Amino acid sequence: MSSAGQAHGKFIVLGEHSILYGGQALVYPISELCLKFSIDSDSKHTTQGPLLNGKSLDRWQIEKLRSVFSAMNVELNVDLVRIESEIPIGKGLGSSAALCVAVARYFFPEASSIAIAKLAKIGEGVFHGTSSGADPFGISLEQPIVYKMAANEFRPLNLASAGDYVFILRDSGIVHSTAEVIKKVSDIREKHPHQFNSIIDRLKVNTTLGLKMMEESQFDRLGLVLQDSNRLLFDMGLGNAALQEALESLLSEGALGAKMTGAGLGGYVFGLFPENKVPKNLRAGDIIVRCCGL
């Protein structure tokens, strides 16, 4: 779908937060959720200001956009910006990174996917304060990847034997601020360094294990790793009742394992299912992503 001014969503299977401390992340694209960025060609429409899905942005959002464009070295009249997005904001599915990728593609259509990701990473840093790069790289490359923050290292996942399993993503109904969650995690690190480091180390190990299981088609074991990583994120204080309800609903429907995705304290969760055991009555808004990435 690589098209100027367009991008899609993403979700992280394993590696949130620990990627910022030397770990890696497993990132999947969500091609069903698209964002389109464009510039209104009629300067008479500047009085409308920038629009998101046809609605005016708040002043603070406009200022944030200006900062993002400045960081990405893009010159434009922000009042002519038009964004159409199916990616929910504040739900861990990459809305800010998708916007930055779409902007980079719009203004630099001949740039490589890697160059687009690097530029989008700069823009996403304005949104979150700290960007690991996992989201912009996962979105720009349009395939499941394993990504390390150091030197923007990545490679595609080898998922030749993953065709019989799917992830089902489910909304907890709670909006979160990634920047605020990152700050909360930083505060925990400062106040409880031993506990924090222990959790981060375990999350790193689980990501490595999960990667091995996915590439060796051991999905029955992957569910246990997802469960353990989710528990660790809850131990870090990133869970809440809404996330717990969404997780339990997926497990009750037959998920082999379930886990929050993204920063935490809201957003989406996902469950791992054999493809032939996907629940018949999914919730409105549930998203199915094939583990093989197709």
Side-chain angles (χ1 to χ4, degrees), residues 189-238:
R189 182 190 185 197
E190 182 177 342
K191 295 176 182 178
H192 307 285
H194 180 74
Q195 178 187 7
F196 176 85
N197 290 333
S198 177
I199 291 174
I200 290 296
D201 288 345
R202 184 66 177 270
L203 288 170
K204 290 179 185 178
V205 169
N206 280 358
T207 303
T208 301
L209 285 174
L211 172 62
K212 177 179 174 63
M213 292 171 183
M214 292 181 72
E215 295 194 322
E216 296 182 358
S217 195
Q218 301 177 24
F219 284 89
D220 53 336
R221 298 175 60 196
L222 177 63
L224 297 176
V225 175
L226 297 178
Q227 290 290 103
D228 188 58
S229 290
N230 188 75
R231 179 186 61 78
L232 291 166
L233 292 169
F234 266 69
D235 288 346
M236 200 183 288
L238 302 179

mmCIF file of all heavy atoms in Angstrom, residues 189-238:
data_model
loop_
_atom_site.group_PDB
_atom_site.id
_atom_site.type_symbol
_atom_site.label_atom_id
_atom_site.label_comp_id
_atom_site.label_asym_id
_atom_site.label_seq_id
_atom_site.Cartn_x
_atom_site.Cartn_y
_atom_site.Cartn_z
ATOM 1 N N ARG A 189 11.094 3.645 37.595
ATOM 2 C CA ARG A 189 12.512 3.285 37.491
ATOM 3 C C ARG A 189 13.340 4.027 38.546
ATOM 4 O O ARG A 189 14.255 3.464 39.146
ATOM 5 C CB ARG A 189 13.025 3.627 36.099
ATOM 6 C CG ARG A 189 14.480 3.251 35.863
ATOM 7 C CD ARG A 189 14.972 3.826 34.559
ATOM 8 N NE ARG A 189 16.336 3.393 34.243
ATOM 9 C CZ ARG A 189 17.115 3.973 33.358
ATOM 10 N NH1 ARG A 189 16.665 5.031 32.677
ATOM 11 N NH2 ARG A 189 18.336 3.522 33.137
ATOM 12 N N GLU A 190 13.008 5.284 38.758
ATOM 13 C CA GLU A 190 13.766 6.097 39.710
ATOM 14 C C GLU A 190 13.485 5.698 41.154
ATOM 15 O O GLU A 190 14.404 5.632 41.982
ATOM 16 C CB GLU A 190 13.412 7.575 39.507
ATOM 17 C CG GLU A 190 14.181 8.526 40.418
ATOM 18 C CD GLU A 190 13.853 9.980 40.146
ATOM 19 O OE1 GLU A 190 13.315 10.273 39.066
ATOM 20 O OE2 GLU A 190 14.130 10.814 41.031
ATOM 21 N N LYS A 191 12.223 5.388 41.462
ATOM 22 C CA LYS A 191 11.835 5.103 42.843
ATOM 23 C C LYS A 191 12.078 3.653 43.244
ATOM 24 O O LYS A 191 12.359 3.352 44.401
ATOM 25 C CB LYS A 191 10.354 5.446 43.038
ATOM 26 C CG LYS A 191 10.049 6.926 42.891
ATOM 27 C CD LYS A 191 8.559 7.195 43.002
ATOM 28 C CE LYS A 191 8.227 8.667 42.818
ATOM 29 N NZ LYS A 191 6.770 8.933 42.871
ATOM 30 N N HIS A 192 11.960 2.739 42.277
ATOM 31 C CA HIS A 192 12.116 1.307 42.577
ATOM 32 C C HIS A 192 13.042 0.663 41.540
ATOM 33 O O HIS A 192 12.606 -0.190 40.749
ATOM 34 C CB HIS A 192 10.746 0.618 42.577
ATOM 35 C CG HIS A 192 9.733 1.278 43.451
ATOM 36 N ND1 HIS A 192 9.754 1.182 44.827
ATOM 37 C CD2 HIS A 192 8.672 2.083 43.138
ATOM 38 C CE1 HIS A 192 8.744 1.865 45.335
ATOM 39 N NE2 HIS A 192 8.075 2.428 44.339
ATOM 40 N N PRO A 193 14.298 1.051 41.515
ATOM 41 C CA PRO A 193 15.199 0.605 40.441
ATOM 42 C C PRO A 193 15.392 -0.908 40.376
ATOM 43 O O PRO A 193 15.454 -1.473 39.281
ATOM 44 C CB PRO A 193 16.514 1.316 40.764
ATOM 45 C CG PRO A 193 16.423 1.671 42.220
ATOM 46 C CD PRO A 193 14.972 1.955 42.467
ATOM 47 N N HIS A 194 15.484 -1.569 41.532
ATOM 48 C CA HIS A 194 15.718 -3.019 41.518
ATOM 49 C C HIS A 194 14.520 -3.745 40.906
ATOM 50 O O HIS A 194 14.695 -4.615 40.033
ATOM 51 C CB HIS A 194 15.978 -3.523 42.929
ATOM 52 C CG HIS A 194 16.231 -5.012 42.995
ATOM 53 N ND1 HIS A 194 17.412 -5.578 42.570
ATOM 54 C CD2 HIS A 194 15.432 -6.032 43.414
ATOM 55 C CE1 HIS A 194 17.342 -6.898 42.719
ATOM 56 N NE2 HIS A 194 16.154 -7.196 43.233
ATOM 57 N N GLN A 195 13.326 -3.415 41.373
ATOM 58 C CA GLN A 195 12.121 -4.047 40.832
ATOM 59 C C GLN A 195 11.965 -3.729 39.347
ATOM 60 O O GLN A 195 11.643 -4.612 38.542
ATOM 61 C CB GLN A 195 10.883 -3.561 41.587
ATOM 62 C CG GLN A 195 9.579 -4.136 41.049
ATOM 63 C CD GLN A 195 8.360 -3.513 41.702
ATOM 64 O OE1 GLN A 195 8.465 -2.572 42.470
ATOM 65 N NE2 GLN A 195 7.187 -4.033 41.390
ATOM 66 N N PHE A 196 12.226 -2.477 38.988
ATOM 67 C CA PHE A 196 12.084 -2.061 37.594
ATOM 68 C C PHE A 196 13.034 -2.846 36.687
ATOM 69 O O PHE A 196 12.627 -3.387 35.654
ATOM 70 C CB PHE A 196 12.365 -0.566 37.469
ATOM 71 C CG PHE A 196 12.328 -0.059 36.055
ATOM 72 C CD1 PHE A 196 11.126 0.302 35.473
ATOM 73 C CD2 PHE A 196 13.497 0.045 35.311
ATOM 74 C CE1 PHE A 196 11.087 0.773 34.164
ATOM 75 C CE2 PHE A 196 13.456 0.504 34.002
ATOM 76 C CZ PHE A 196 12.257 0.875 33.434
ATOM 77 N N ASN A 197 14.298 -2.926 37.069
ATOM 78 C CA ASN A 197 15.279 -3.621 36.244
ATOM 79 C C ASN A 197 14.956 -5.097 36.111
ATOM 80 O O ASN A 197 15.177 -5.709 35.048
ATOM 81 C CB ASN A 197 16.677 -3.439 36.828
ATOM 82 C CG ASN A 197 17.192 -2.020 36.677
ATOM 83 O OD1 ASN A 197 16.797 -1.307 35.761
ATOM 84 N ND2 ASN A 197 18.063 -1.603 37.592
ATOM 85 N N SER A 198 14.425 -5.686 37.187
ATOM 86 C CA SER A 198 14.045 -7.095 37.138
ATOM 87 C C SER A 198 12.922 -7.318 36.122
ATOM 88 O O SER A 198 12.957 -8.282 35.337
ATOM 89 C CB SER A 198 13.603 -7.556 38.529
ATOM 90 O OG SER A 198 13.169 -8.904 38.495
ATOM 91 N N ILE A 199 11.934 -6.424 36.123
ATOM 92 C CA ILE A 199 10.820 -6.545 35.182
ATOM 93 C C ILE A 199 11.304 -6.343 33.750
ATOM 94 O O ILE A 199 10.945 -7.107 32.847
ATOM 95 C CB ILE A 199 9.710 -5.531 35.529
ATOM 96 C CG1 ILE A 199 9.035 -5.917 36.842
ATOM 97 C CG2 ILE A 199 8.685 -5.448 34.405
ATOM 98 C CD1 ILE A 199 8.021 -4.904 37.339
ATOM 99 N N ILE A 200 12.117 -5.324 33.537
ATOM 100 C CA ILE A 200 12.608 -5.037 32.188
ATOM 101 C C ILE A 200 13.426 -6.209 31.650
ATOM 102 O O ILE A 200 13.279 -6.612 30.479
ATOM 103 C CB ILE A 200 13.454 -3.749 32.182
ATOM 104 C CG1 ILE A 200 12.571 -2.526 32.413
ATOM 105 C CG2 ILE A 200 14.227 -3.608 30.872
ATOM 106 C CD1 ILE A 200 11.550 -2.268 31.319
ATOM 107 N N ASP A 201 14.277 -6.794 32.494
ATOM 108 C CA ASP A 201 15.085 -7.944 32.068
ATOM 109 C C ASP A 201 14.195 -9.115 31.672
ATOM 110 O O ASP A 201 14.463 -9.804 30.674
ATOM 111 C CB ASP A 201 16.050 -8.358 33.179
ATOM 112 C CG ASP A 201 17.200 -7.380 33.371
ATOM 113 O OD1 ASP A 201 17.408 -6.540 32.474
ATOM 114 O OD2 ASP A 201 17.871 -7.445 34.415
ATOM 115 N N ARG A 202 13.139 -9.336 32.443
ATOM 116 C CA ARG A 202 12.222 -10.442 32.121
ATOM 117 C C ARG A 202 11.460 -10.170 30.814
ATOM 118 O O ARG A 202 11.257 -11.081 30.002
ATOM 119 C CB ARG A 202 11.252 -10.652 33.283
ATOM 120 C CG ARG A 202 10.314 -11.833 33.116
ATOM 121 C CD ARG A 202 11.064 -13.168 33.134
ATOM 122 N NE ARG A 202 10.127 -14.273 33.033
ATOM 123 C CZ ARG A 202 9.569 -14.859 34.105
ATOM 124 N NH1 ARG A 202 9.870 -14.433 35.333
ATOM 125 N NH2 ARG A 202 8.718 -15.861 33.961
ATOM 126 N N LEU A 203 11.079 -8.919 30.612
ATOM 127 C CA LEU A 203 10.395 -8.560 29.366
ATOM 128 C C LEU A 203 11.317 -8.775 28.166
ATOM 129 O O LEU A 203 10.878 -9.230 27.103
ATOM 130 C CB LEU A 203 9.923 -7.110 29.413
ATOM 131 C CG LEU A 203 8.741 -6.815 30.342
ATOM 132 C CD1 LEU A 203 8.526 -5.311 30.478
ATOM 133 C CD2 LEU A 203 7.460 -7.482 29.824
ATOM 134 N N LYS A 204 12.589 -8.465 28.325
ATOM 135 C CA LYS A 204 13.562 -8.691 27.246
ATOM 136 C C LYS A 204 13.664 -10.183 26.916
ATOM 137 O O LYS A 204 13.663 -10.583 25.741
ATOM 138 C CB LYS A 204 14.938 -8.163 27.645
ATOM 139 C CG LYS A 204 15.057 -6.658 27.735
ATOM 140 C CD LYS A 204 16.482 -6.294 28.169
ATOM 141 C CE LYS A 204 16.665 -4.827 28.405
ATOM 142 N NZ LYS A 204 18.039 -4.494 28.865
ATOM 143 N N VAL A 205 13.765 -11.001 27.964
ATOM 144 C CA VAL A 205 13.866 -12.449 27.762
ATOM 145 C C VAL A 205 12.618 -12.971 27.054
ATOM 146 O O VAL A 205 12.701 -13.783 26.127
ATOM 147 C CB VAL A 205 14.066 -13.169 29.114
ATOM 148 C CG1 VAL A 205 13.910 -14.678 28.952
ATOM 149 C CG2 VAL A 205 15.438 -12.849 29.691
ATOM 150 N N ASN A 206 11.458 -12.487 27.481
ATOM 151 C CA ASN A 206 10.208 -12.950 26.875
ATOM 152 C C ASN A 206 10.123 -12.562 25.402
ATOM 153 O O ASN A 206 9.593 -13.328 24.579
ATOM 154 C CB ASN A 206 9.013 -12.371 27.634
ATOM 155 C CG ASN A 206 8.715 -13.143 28.910
ATOM 156 O OD1 ASN A 206 9.372 -14.139 29.212
ATOM 157 N ND2 ASN A 206 7.738 -12.681 29.661
ATOM 158 N N THR A 207 10.623 -11.393 25.063
ATOM 159 C CA THR A 207 10.601 -10.989 23.659
ATOM 160 C C THR A 207 11.476 -11.905 22.819
ATOM 161 O O THR A 207 11.092 -12.315 21.716
ATOM 162 C CB THR A 207 11.069 -9.529 23.512
ATOM 163 O OG1 THR A 207 10.236 -8.672 24.308
ATOM 164 C CG2 THR A 207 10.989 -9.079 22.061
ATOM 165 N N THR A 208 12.643 -12.240 23.345
ATOM 166 C CA THR A 208 13.532 -13.166 22.636
ATOM 167 C C THR A 208 12.893 -14.542 22.497
ATOM 168 O O THR A 208 12.945 -15.169 21.428
ATOM 169 C CB THR A 208 14.881 -13.281 23.376
ATOM 170 O OG1 THR A 208 15.491 -11.981 23.456
ATOM 171 C CG2 THR A 208 15.821 -14.230 22.652
ATOM 172 N N LEU A 209 12.271 -15.018 23.576
ATOM 173 C CA LEU A 209 11.589 -16.313 23.527
ATOM 174 C C LEU A 209 10.430 -16.287 22.546
ATOM 175 O O LEU A 209 10.237 -17.221 21.754
ATOM 176 C CB LEU A 209 11.073 -16.683 24.921
ATOM 177 C CG LEU A 209 12.091 -17.157 25.946
ATOM 178 C CD1 LEU A 209 11.418 -17.322 27.307
ATOM 179 C CD2 LEU A 209 12.714 -18.484 25.509
ATOM 180 N N GLY A 210 9.646 -15.209 22.611
ATOM 181 C CA GLY A 210 8.494 -15.097 21.725
ATOM 182 C C GLY A 210 8.900 -15.073 20.266
ATOM 183 O O GLY A 210 8.249 -15.689 19.407
ATOM 184 N N LEU A 211 9.984 -14.373 19.957
ATOM 185 C CA LEU A 211 10.482 -14.333 18.591
ATOM 186 C C LEU A 211 10.848 -15.736 18.118
ATOM 187 O O LEU A 211 10.471 -16.153 17.010
ATOM 188 C CB LEU A 211 11.706 -13.414 18.525
ATOM 189 C CG LEU A 211 12.472 -13.397 17.203
ATOM 190 C CD1 LEU A 211 11.595 -12.894 16.074
ATOM 191 C CD2 LEU A 211 13.723 -12.529 17.337
ATOM 192 N N LYS A 212 11.549 -16.470 18.944
ATOM 193 C CA LYS A 212 11.949 -17.844 18.595
ATOM 194 C C LYS A 212 10.710 -18.729 18.371
ATOM 195 O O LYS A 212 10.654 -19.489 17.394
ATOM 196 C CB LYS A 212 12.818 -18.426 19.711
ATOM 197 C CG LYS A 212 13.249 -19.874 19.504
ATOM 198 C CD LYS A 212 14.116 -20.339 20.663
ATOM 199 C CE LYS A 212 14.456 -21.816 20.568
ATOM 200 N NZ LYS A 212 15.260 -22.134 19.377
ATOM 201 N N MET A 213 9.737 -18.605 19.250
ATOM 202 C CA MET A 213 8.528 -19.430 19.127
ATOM 203 C C MET A 213 7.733 -19.104 17.868
ATOM 204 O O MET A 213 7.217 -20.001 17.195
ATOM 205 C CB MET A 213 7.651 -19.244 20.363
ATOM 206 C CG MET A 213 8.254 -19.815 21.624
ATOM 207 S SD MET A 213 7.313 -19.363 23.104
ATOM 208 C CE MET A 213 8.351 -20.103 24.378
ATOM 209 N N MET A 214 7.651 -17.818 17.526
ATOM 210 C CA MET A 214 6.907 -17.438 16.329
ATOM 211 C C MET A 214 7.614 -17.936 15.081
ATOM 212 O O MET A 214 6.969 -18.435 14.155
ATOM 213 C CB MET A 214 6.745 -15.916 16.280
ATOM 214 C CG MET A 214 5.836 -15.364 17.370
ATOM 215 S SD MET A 214 5.621 -13.579 17.276
ATOM 216 C CE MET A 214 4.573 -13.469 15.837
ATOM 217 N N GLU A 215 8.927 -17.817 15.038
ATOM 218 C CA GLU A 215 9.652 -18.217 13.837
ATOM 219 C C GLU A 215 9.821 -19.725 13.735
ATOM 220 O O GLU A 215 10.143 -20.232 12.647
ATOM 221 C CB GLU A 215 11.008 -17.504 13.790
ATOM 222 C CG GLU A 215 10.855 -15.988 13.643
ATOM 223 C CD GLU A 215 12.123 -15.283 13.264
ATOM 224 O OE1 GLU A 215 13.203 -15.685 13.770
ATOM 225 O OE2 GLU A 215 12.049 -14.319 12.476
ATOM 226 N N GLU A 216 9.589 -20.435 14.841
ATOM 227 C CA GLU A 216 9.642 -21.901 14.810
ATOM 228 C C GLU A 216 8.259 -22.518 14.929
ATOM 229 O O GLU A 216 8.121 -23.716 15.154
ATOM 230 C CB GLU A 216 10.552 -22.409 15.939
ATOM 231 C CG GLU A 216 12.005 -21.981 15.768
ATOM 232 C CD GLU A 216 12.908 -22.513 16.861
ATOM 233 O OE1 GLU A 216 12.392 -23.197 17.789
ATOM 234 O OE2 GLU A 216 14.127 -22.260 16.795
ATOM 235 N N SER A 217 7.236 -21.660 14.754
ATOM 236 C CA SER A 217 5.833 -22.092 14.752
ATOM 237 C C SER A 217 5.448 -22.850 16.022
ATOM 238 O O SER A 217 4.749 -23.858 15.985
ATOM 239 C CB SER A 217 5.542 -22.965 13.517
ATOM 240 O OG SER A 217 4.146 -23.095 13.335
ATOM 241 N N GLN A 218 5.900 -22.320 17.170
ATOM 242 C CA GLN A 218 5.514 -22.889 18.471
ATOM 243 C C GLN A 218 4.463 -21.990 19.128
ATOM 244 O O GLN A 218 4.639 -21.499 20.237
ATOM 245 C CB GLN A 218 6.741 -23.029 19.363
ATOM 246 C CG GLN A 218 7.825 -23.917 18.775
ATOM 247 C CD GLN A 218 9.066 -23.967 19.651
ATOM 248 O OE1 GLN A 218 9.021 -23.734 20.851
ATOM 249 N NE2 GLN A 218 10.190 -24.276 19.046
ATOM 250 N N PHE A 219 3.373 -21.776 18.422
ATOM 251 C CA PHE A 219 2.389 -20.803 18.879
ATOM 252 C C PHE A 219 1.624 -21.270 20.108
ATOM 253 O O PHE A 219 1.108 -20.451 20.873
ATOM 254 C CB PHE A 219 1.421 -20.461 17.742
ATOM 255 C CG PHE A 219 2.024 -19.542 16.722
ATOM 256 C CD1 PHE A 219 2.724 -20.060 15.643
ATOM 257 C CD2 PHE A 219 1.917 -18.178 16.849
ATOM 258 C CE1 PHE A 219 3.300 -19.220 14.708
ATOM 259 C CE2 PHE A 219 2.491 -17.324 15.928
ATOM 260 C CZ PHE A 219 3.187 -17.842 14.849
ATOM 261 N N ASP A 220 1.562 -22.571 20.324
ATOM 262 C CA ASP A 220 0.907 -23.060 21.533
ATOM 263 C C ASP A 220 1.686 -22.623 22.774
ATOM 264 O O ASP A 220 1.103 -22.358 23.832
ATOM 265 C CB ASP A 220 0.774 -24.588 21.492
ATOM 266 C CG ASP A 220 2.104 -25.279 21.212
ATOM 267 O OD1 ASP A 220 2.993 -24.653 20.617
ATOM 268 O OD2 ASP A 220 2.243 -26.460 21.594
ATOM 269 N N ARG A 221 2.996 -22.487 22.659
ATOM 270 C CA ARG A 221 3.827 -22.025 23.772
ATOM 271 C C ARG A 221 3.865 -20.505 23.852
ATOM 272 O O ARG A 221 4.089 -19.936 24.922
ATOM 273 C CB ARG A 221 5.241 -22.579 23.625
ATOM 274 C CG ARG A 221 5.328 -24.113 23.669
ATOM 275 C CD ARG A 221 6.740 -24.582 23.406
ATOM 276 N NE ARG A 221 7.681 -24.040 24.408
ATOM 277 C CZ ARG A 221 8.997 -24.026 24.249
ATOM 278 N NH1 ARG A 221 9.534 -24.475 23.119
ATOM 279 N NH2 ARG A 221 9.776 -23.538 25.202
ATOM 280 N N LEU A 222 3.672 -19.832 22.723
ATOM 281 C CA LEU A 222 3.711 -18.373 22.696
ATOM 282 C C LEU A 222 2.659 -17.770 23.626
ATOM 283 O O LEU A 222 2.897 -16.733 24.240
ATOM 284 C CB LEU A 222 3.498 -17.864 21.268
ATOM 285 C CG LEU A 222 3.449 -16.343 21.095
ATOM 286 C CD1 LEU A 222 4.777 -15.701 21.484
ATOM 287 C CD2 LEU A 222 3.080 -15.995 19.644
ATOM 288 N N GLY A 223 1.518 -18.438 23.743
ATOM 289 C CA GLY A 223 0.470 -17.919 24.612
ATOM 290 C C GLY A 223 0.934 -17.718 26.040
ATOM 291 O O GLY A 223 0.562 -16.731 26.699
ATOM 292 N N LEU A 224 1.761 -18.625 26.545
ATOM 293 C CA LEU A 224 2.269 -18.510 27.913
ATOM 294 C C LEU A 224 3.200 -17.311 28.066
ATOM 295 O O LEU A 224 3.200 -16.634 29.097
ATOM 296 C CB LEU A 224 3.000 -19.797 28.301
ATOM 297 C CG LEU A 224 2.147 -21.075 28.347
ATOM 298 C CD1 LEU A 224 3.031 -22.285 28.640
ATOM 299 C CD2 LEU A 224 1.053 -20.951 29.398
ATOM 300 N N VAL A 225 3.989 -17.044 27.030
ATOM 301 C CA VAL A 225 4.894 -15.888 27.062
ATOM 302 C C VAL A 225 4.093 -14.592 27.063
ATOM 303 O O VAL A 225 4.433 -13.639 27.774
ATOM 304 C CB VAL A 225 5.866 -15.933 25.862
ATOM 305 C CG1 VAL A 225 6.721 -14.668 25.811
ATOM 306 C CG2 VAL A 225 6.754 -17.161 25.952
ATOM 307 N N LEU A 226 3.028 -14.549 26.270
ATOM 308 C CA LEU A 226 2.172 -13.361 26.259
ATOM 309 C C LEU A 226 1.571 -13.131 27.636
ATOM 310 O O LEU A 226 1.523 -11.991 28.127
ATOM 311 C CB LEU A 226 1.064 -13.525 25.215
ATOM 312 C CG LEU A 226 1.502 -13.651 23.752
ATOM 313 C CD1 LEU A 226 0.285 -13.862 22.859
ATOM 314 C CD2 LEU A 226 2.274 -12.417 23.309
ATOM 315 N N GLN A 227 1.121 -14.201 28.266
ATOM 316 C CA GLN A 227 0.519 -14.086 29.602
ATOM 317 C C GLN A 227 1.523 -13.539 30.611
ATOM 318 O O GLN A 227 1.207 -12.671 31.427
ATOM 319 C CB GLN A 227 0.011 -15.458 30.062
ATOM 320 C CG GLN A 227 -1.205 -15.964 29.308
ATOM 321 C CD GLN A 227 -2.447 -15.154 29.641
ATOM 322 O OE1 GLN A 227 -2.869 -14.314 28.859
ATOM 323 N NE2 GLN A 227 -3.023 -15.376 30.803
ATOM 324 N N ASP A 228 2.738 -14.064 30.562
ATOM 325 C CA ASP A 228 3.746 -13.633 31.528
ATOM 326 C C ASP A 228 4.136 -12.172 31.295
ATOM 327 O O ASP A 228 4.289 -11.404 32.251
ATOM 328 C CB ASP A 228 4.984 -14.529 31.424
ATOM 329 C CG ASP A 228 5.985 -14.257 32.535
ATOM 330 O OD1 ASP A 228 5.595 -14.376 33.718
ATOM 331 O OD2 ASP A 228 7.138 -13.914 32.238
ATOM 332 N N SER A 229 4.294 -11.777 30.037
ATOM 333 C CA SER A 229 4.647 -10.387 29.744
ATOM 334 C C SER A 229 3.532 -9.442 30.178
ATOM 335 O O SER A 229 3.801 -8.348 30.700
ATOM 336 C CB SER A 229 4.936 -10.214 28.251
ATOM 337 O OG SER A 229 6.137 -10.868 27.901
ATOM 338 N N ASN A 230 2.305 -9.844 29.983
ATOM 339 C CA ASN A 230 1.188 -9.000 30.419
ATOM 340 C C ASN A 230 1.198 -8.831 31.936
ATOM 341 O O ASN A 230 0.978 -7.724 32.463
ATOM 342 C CB ASN A 230 -0.141 -9.609 29.966
ATOM 343 C CG ASN A 230 -1.301 -8.693 30.229
ATOM 344 O OD1 ASN A 230 -1.509 -7.696 29.540
ATOM 345 N ND2 ASN A 230 -2.083 -9.009 31.252
ATOM 346 N N ARG A 231 1.480 -9.918 32.650
ATOM 347 C CA ARG A 231 1.554 -9.833 34.116
ATOM 348 C C ARG A 231 2.653 -8.869 34.545
ATOM 349 O O ARG A 231 2.464 -8.069 35.477
ATOM 350 C CB ARG A 231 1.817 -11.227 34.701
ATOM 351 C CG ARG A 231 1.935 -11.236 36.225
ATOM 352 C CD ARG A 231 2.333 -12.596 36.732
ATOM 353 N NE ARG A 231 3.624 -13.025 36.231
ATOM 354 C CZ ARG A 231 4.792 -12.596 36.688
ATOM 355 N NH1 ARG A 231 4.843 -11.687 37.667
ATOM 356 N NH2 ARG A 231 5.928 -13.050 36.185
ATOM 357 N N LEU A 232 3.790 -8.917 33.854
ATOM 358 C CA LEU A 232 4.897 -8.036 34.196
ATOM 359 C C LEU A 232 4.534 -6.569 33.955
ATOM 360 O O LEU A 232 4.889 -5.690 34.746
ATOM 361 C CB LEU A 232 6.129 -8.409 33.370
ATOM 362 C CG LEU A 232 6.770 -9.756 33.716
ATOM 363 C CD1 LEU A 232 7.743 -10.186 32.624
ATOM 364 C CD2 LEU A 232 7.473 -9.688 35.069
ATOM 365 N N LEU A 233 3.814 -6.298 32.872
ATOM 366 C CA LEU A 233 3.387 -4.921 32.598
ATOM 367 C C LEU A 233 2.394 -4.444 33.646
ATOM 368 O O LEU A 233 2.413 -3.277 34.058
ATOM 369 C CB LEU A 233 2.794 -4.831 31.194
ATOM 370 C CG LEU A 233 3.798 -5.045 30.052
ATOM 371 C CD1 LEU A 233 3.078 -5.193 28.722
ATOM 372 C CD2 LEU A 233 4.802 -3.905 29.985
ATOM 373 N N PHE A 234 1.536 -5.339 34.118
ATOM 374 C CA PHE A 234 0.626 -5.001 35.218
ATOM 375 C C PHE A 234 1.426 -4.740 36.490
ATOM 376 O O PHE A 234 1.127 -3.808 37.244
ATOM 377 C CB PHE A 234 -0.392 -6.121 35.444
ATOM 378 C CG PHE A 234 -1.692 -5.920 34.712
ATOM 379 C CD1 PHE A 234 -1.747 -6.012 33.330
ATOM 380 C CD2 PHE A 234 -2.860 -5.630 35.398
ATOM 381 C CE1 PHE A 234 -2.940 -5.826 32.643
ATOM 382 C CE2 PHE A 234 -4.064 -5.441 34.739
ATOM 383 C CZ PHE A 234 -4.106 -5.543 33.349
ATOM 384 N N ASP A 235 2.458 -5.565 36.732
ATOM 385 C CA ASP A 235 3.308 -5.363 37.911
ATOM 386 C C ASP A 235 4.008 -4.006 37.868
ATOM 387 O O ASP A 235 4.335 -3.429 38.910
ATOM 388 C CB ASP A 235 4.368 -6.470 38.001
ATOM 389 C CG ASP A 235 3.788 -7.811 38.409
ATOM 390 O OD1 ASP A 235 2.630 -7.849 38.870
ATOM 391 O OD2 ASP A 235 4.500 -8.826 38.250
ATOM 392 N N MET A 236 4.205 -3.482 36.666
ATOM 393 C CA MET A 236 4.825 -2.176 36.507
ATOM 394 C C MET A 236 3.824 -1.040 36.739
ATOM 395 O O MET A 236 4.185 0.135 36.682
ATOM 396 C CB MET A 236 5.441 -2.065 35.107
ATOM 397 C CG MET A 236 6.508 -0.991 34.973
ATOM 398 S SD MET A 236 7.131 -0.861 33.269
ATOM 399 C CE MET A 236 8.099 -2.370 33.176
ATOM 400 N N GLY A 237 2.573 -1.425 36.978
ATOM 401 C CA GLY A 237 1.549 -0.412 37.234
ATOM 402 C C GLY A 237 0.853 0.096 35.996
ATOM 403 O O GLY A 237 0.207 1.146 36.023
ATOM 404 N N LEU A 238 0.941 -0.654 34.879
ATOM 405 C CA LEU A 238 0.400 -0.188 33.618
ATOM 406 C C LEU A 238 -0.938 -0.824 33.265
ATOM 407 O O LEU A 238 -1.454 -0.637 32.157
ATOM 408 C CB LEU A 238 1.406 -0.459 32.491
ATOM 409 C CG LEU A 238 2.777 0.183 32.700
ATOM 410 C CD1 LEU A 238 3.704 -0.154 31.546
ATOM 411 C CD2 LEU A 238 2.650 1.691 32.865
#
